[in-house]
Each structure stands twice: as C-alpha cells, then as structure tokens.
C-alpha cells in the first residue's frame, strides 16, 4: 500500500499540516477516511487529525479560519484550497440507542475504537509515520470489506448504517458477513427509529452528494434503510439528462428516487427547507403527469410548465420529454418587450386584466402570431380582446 505521509505531501494543505504538527508537542495523527483513501491510492475527500492531548497548539500552528464545534471538542480549519478537521482523541459513550455521544479524552487506540468501520480505524503519526490500527483494519482494507468494530455499533449510532451504505457504493466494498447480519438485525429491530428525521435527512443529503448518488441510493435501498425510496435507475437517469444546467442535481435525483406517496410532511421531517421541499413536491406532480401540455403548440407547452422550477420539469414523463426539453432549452427564455406599466400608461385599468392581456400576448409571441418587436406586442396587448383576437387569428385559413 501507499506511503501515507509521502502521499500526504501531494495533497492540498498536506505539507503545511505536517509542518504545523512538527512544531507541536502533542502527538497528532492523520486518521479516518484520509488514511483509508491515501492507502487505496485515492485522493482524500478531507483531512482528519486526532491529537493525543490539547489540540489548540496544533490549531494555532495550522492557522487559517477556524470553526469550532464545542460539544464534541472539534474544529474545522480552512485555508487557501484546503480544509483540516482537528479533534482531540476521545472515547464515546451513548446514554441510549441513537443518542448523540457523550465524549471524554482518550488515547489514539481508544479513539479508533469509536469509528464506524475498521477501514476508517487506521491512524498514521504525522511526525514519524507510525501506524496504529484497530484489529482487522489493514486486512479489511486490502480485502475490500466493511466491518464494524463491535456488535452494538449500529444500535449506538444507526447513522453508521447509512455511512456503510455510502462506502459500499463509493469504494465497491462489501459488508463482512457478520456485519451484514448485524445490519439486518438493526434495521428489522427498528434501530433507525431511534434517530431524528433531521439526522436521517443529513445522511440522505450526503448520499445525494456522492460522486455517484444513484449507486449510493441503491446501496441504501438494498440495506432497507429508507423504504420511502423507489430507486428506478432509468427514471433517475432520464431526469438527470433532462435537467437544465441551472437545476439542483441533488434535488432532481431525490425527486426521481422518492416513492410517489411522499408528501411535504416527510420532507419536512427529513429537514429539507421550504424552497427545496416545494421543488421536490412540484417535481413529483410533474412525474405523476399533473402538468401535461394540452397540445404541441408552444403556448400549450408554456402553460403546462410555466412557473415550475427546472428541477420539476426534469421529471416530465417519457411522452412529455420532448415538450419539456423545448420549454427548458427555448420557450422559457422568451420575454415580452412590454410590461404592465406600458398597459397602464395606455389606459388599461389596473387589475387582473393587465396580467391576462400580457399572458395572451406572450402566448401569441410563442406561437408566432405576434412579432417580437415592442410595437407589435403593444398593439396586440391593447386590442379590444387579445384572447379572442388570438382565436380569430388561428381560425383564419
């Protein structure tokens, strides 16, 4: 396997971290996913450091912007293009299943025992490269196995089930047989009900941010962690392909993967803010065929999709995808050269008639019945009855 410290020197912030650690007396270790990824020859997603003793001198030596999380005694230090998570080595105890842990200072070996899987329970001394590892850790990494460190792991912290599902998808590893049995027992025994909806939602959001979120969600579904998911790979792929560049890919994927019965209460319980809930719920409406164009005319397509976020239109069913593509690529960008003030100035009474006239003219512009020039649009908007005028135009031979 790779020389972790040599590889660390090539990682943004890695050489700086080593110099900072060398200036501090307390032993500091690179731990967790960073060690795992470097040993696998993969770029680490983050740099995690555990310190035996007071971490403050190391935090000061690293410099940068510091964000502290006092409850767990951790800090995130950010610099130019790098980020380091620093924590004091600790042990964790749980007052009851699913509780947030109570922490107390410990040595690095005890710190490794609190981790979610053996492959994340390897520490490398930043000063000398000394390796400290939990039992099975290095062998499991070579074998591609995900193993928990003790039998109560999923009961203490059921979010570990979600994390192992993500590792399984990201790394291509498999659950070690005893761990797989423990996972099945935890799920069937209701372990996931002991954590809040927001904590579950946080894990879901992490899965959606994976490089391959579909693989992550399939892994989650395979473990039975989210029965409200319906991971249809073809539907998700179609929605992601249709989504415009300004759409949130994570919300498109989520809307395509949720069961059709999902409602706002479920999304609120998972901690999604209002705007995100609205986008996903509108997407589910589109997916269910509630916003279908009445015909192929541009104005009919616009009336079906106008006002919907791009994330929602991306969920158009197969028979409406061509229309949805036309809306997203072309029609939604069409704008009038006149506005309500122009109509008021011309004598139209303030009220809903102003909006109705503008909508009628926009439909006419979309259908090619009114020229795009401002003068033509204003004349059409000021016609005695713009809607009837459009009908008459369409009836002409």
């Amino acid at each position: 396997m790779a020389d972790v410290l040599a590889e660390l020197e090539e990682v943004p912030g890695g050489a700086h971290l080593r110099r900072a650690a060398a200036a501090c007396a307390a032993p500091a270790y690179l731990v967790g996913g960073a060690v795992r990824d470097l040993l696998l020859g993969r770029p680490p997603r983050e740099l995690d450091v555990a310190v035996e003793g007071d971490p403050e001198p190391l935090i000061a030596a690293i410099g940068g912007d510091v964000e502290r999380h006092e409850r767990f005694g951790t800090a995130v230090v950010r610099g130019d293009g790098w980020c380091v998570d620093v924590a004091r080595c600790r042990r964790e105890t749980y007052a009851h299943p699913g509780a947030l842990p109570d922490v107390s200072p410990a040595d690095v070996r005890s710190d490794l025992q609190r981790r979610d899987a053996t492959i994340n329970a390897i520490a490398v001394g930043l000063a000398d490269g000394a390796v400290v590892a939990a039992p099975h850790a290095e062998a499991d990494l070579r074998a591609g196995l995900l193993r928990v460190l003790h039998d109560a792991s999923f009961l203490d912290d059921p979010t570990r089930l979600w994390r192992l599902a993500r590792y399984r998808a990201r790394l291509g590893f498999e659950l070690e047989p005893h761990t797989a049995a423990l996972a099945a027992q935890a799920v069937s025994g209701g372990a996931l009900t002991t954590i809040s909806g927001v904590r579950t939602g946080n894990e879901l959001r992490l899965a959606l941010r994976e490089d391959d979120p579909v693989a992550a969600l399939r892994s989650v579904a395979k473990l039975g962690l989210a029965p409200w998911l319906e991971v249809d790979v073809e539907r998700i792929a179609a929605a992601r392909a249709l989504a415009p560049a300004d759409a949130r890919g994570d919300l498109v994927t989520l809307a395509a993967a949720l069961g059709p019965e999902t409602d706002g209460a479920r999304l609120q319980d998972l901690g999604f803010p209002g705007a995100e809930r609205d986008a996903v719920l509108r997407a589910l409406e589109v997916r269910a065929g509630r916003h279908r164009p009445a015909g192929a005319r541009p104005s009919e397509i616009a009336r079906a999709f106008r006002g919907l976020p791009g994330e929602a239109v991306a969920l158009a069913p197969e028979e409406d995808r061509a229309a949805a593509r036309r809306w997203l690529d072309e029609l939604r960008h069409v704008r009038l050269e006149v506005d309500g003030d122009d109509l008021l100035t011309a004598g139209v009474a303030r009220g809903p008639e102003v909006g109705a006239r503008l909508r009628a003219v926009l439909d006419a512009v979309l259908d090619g019945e009114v020229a795009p020039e401002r003068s033509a649009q204003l004349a059409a908007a000021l016609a005695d009855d713009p809607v009837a005028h459009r009908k008459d135009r369409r009836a002409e031979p």
Side-chain angles (χ1 to χ4, degrees):
M1 291 190 183
D3 180 334
V4 170
L5 294 188
E7 296 291 333
L8 180 62
E9 293 282 341
E10 305 302 317
V11 175
H16 174 67
L17 172 61
R18 287 204 65 195
R19 288 193 297 271
C24 299
Y29 298 85
L30 191 70
V31 294
V35 175
R36 176 201 69 218
D37 289 342
L38 289 171
L39 286 172
L40 291 173
R42 301 164 61 98
R45 297 165 68 94
E46 67 280 313
L47 296 179
D48 291 325
V49 177
V51 181
E52 284 188 326
D54 184 4
E56 288 302 321
L58 178 59
I59 293 170
I62 295 173
D65 297 324
V66 180
E67 177 186 351
R68 299 181 185 279
H69 303 280
E70 300 294 344
R71 188 189 192 286
F72 301 109
T74 63
V76 179
V77 187
R78 292 183 174 86
D80 185 13
W82 52 264
C83 177
V84 180
D85 288 332
V86 181
R88 185 168 190 162
C89 290
R90 65 187 191 266
R91 63 173 53 87
E92 296 177 345
T93 57
Y94 296 82
H96 55 81
L100 291 172
D102 297 311
V103 303
S104 58
D107 60 14
V108 69
R109 289 190 180 277
S110 298
D111 187 90
L112 295 179
Q113 290 298 316
R114 69 179 179 81
R115 297 184 178 269
D116 49 20
T118 57
I119 63 168
N120 293 330
I122 306 172
V124 176
L126 286 169
D128 57 8
V131 176
V132 182
H136 304 290
E138 294 173 282
D140 286 345
L141 193 61
R142 286 190 292 269
L145 291 176
L146 297 168
R147 183 195 308 265
V148 291
L149 285 106
H150 57 87
D151 284 3
S153 181
F154 296 135
L155 303 181
D156 286 344
D157 183 359
T159 65
R160 289 171 177 156
L161 290 160
W162 280 83
R163 278 178 256 160
L164 263 62
R166 294 203 311 275
Y167 301 150
R168 181 174 173 272
R170 185 194 310 166
L171 302 174
F173 285 16
E174 288 298 333
L175 270 63
E176 173 270 333
H178 182 60
T179 296
L182 292 173
Q185 291 169 14
V187 172
S188 64
L192 291 163
T193 65
T194 66
I195 59 175
S196 69
V198 171
R199 288 180 70 189
T200 298
N202 289 339
E203 296 300 323
L204 172 60
R205 285 179 278 277
L206 288 172
L208 291 168
R209 289 201 291 269
E210 287 284 323
D211 292 339
D212 188 346
V214 180
L217 293 181
R218 292 182 69 188
S219 182
V220 165
K222 185 173 181 179
L223 289 177
L225 309 186
W228 30 268
L229 286 178
E230 184 181 273
V231 188
D232 183 323
V233 175
E234 291 185 2
R235 181 173 62 218
I236 297 172
R240 287 165 63 90
L242 183 57
D246 58 354
R248 286 267 303 272
D250 58 336
L251 297 183
V252 172
T253 301
L254 175 62
L258 285 169
E261 72 286 349
T262 302
D263 57 15
R266 164 76 68 186
L267 296 172
Q268 184 172 15
D269 181 61
L270 291 170
F272 286 94
E276 295 181 3
R277 292 200 303 273
D278 180 67
V280 171
L281 292 173
R282 300 302 297 276
L284 290 173
E285 291 175 3
V286 173
R287 190 177 118 189
R290 295 180 203 154
H291 294 271
R292 300 201 61 197
R297 295 173 66 87
S299 60
E300 292 169 323
I301 294 172
R303 280 195 290 272
F305 297 131
R306 185 179 290 132
L308 293 172
E311 293 85 356
V313 180
L315 269 292
E318 183 176 4
E319 57 270 28
D320 295 331
R321 282 180 200 149
R325 171 58 66 199
R326 189 174 183 191
W327 166 254
L328 292 170
D329 290 351
E330 172 192 347
L331 302 179
R332 67 173 175 150
H333 302 297
V334 175
R335 297 287 186 269
L336 290 178
E337 297 297 320
V338 296
D339 59 21
D341 289 339
D342 294 316
L343 271 61
L344 294 173
T345 300
V348 177
R350 187 181 299 274
E353 183 181 354
V354 173
R357 285 174 176 269
L358 291 173
R359 286 191 294 273
V361 174
L362 179 57
D363 285 348
V365 171
L366 289 169
D367 289 343
E369 298 171 357
V370 170
E373 289 79 13
R374 172 182 166 80
S375 59
Q377 293 181 11
L378 184 58
L382 296 176
D384 289 342
D385 187 341
V387 176
H389 179 70
R390 291 197 65 226
K391 291 178 180 178
D392 291 342
R393 289 284 302 273
R394 289 201 295 271
E396 293 175 359

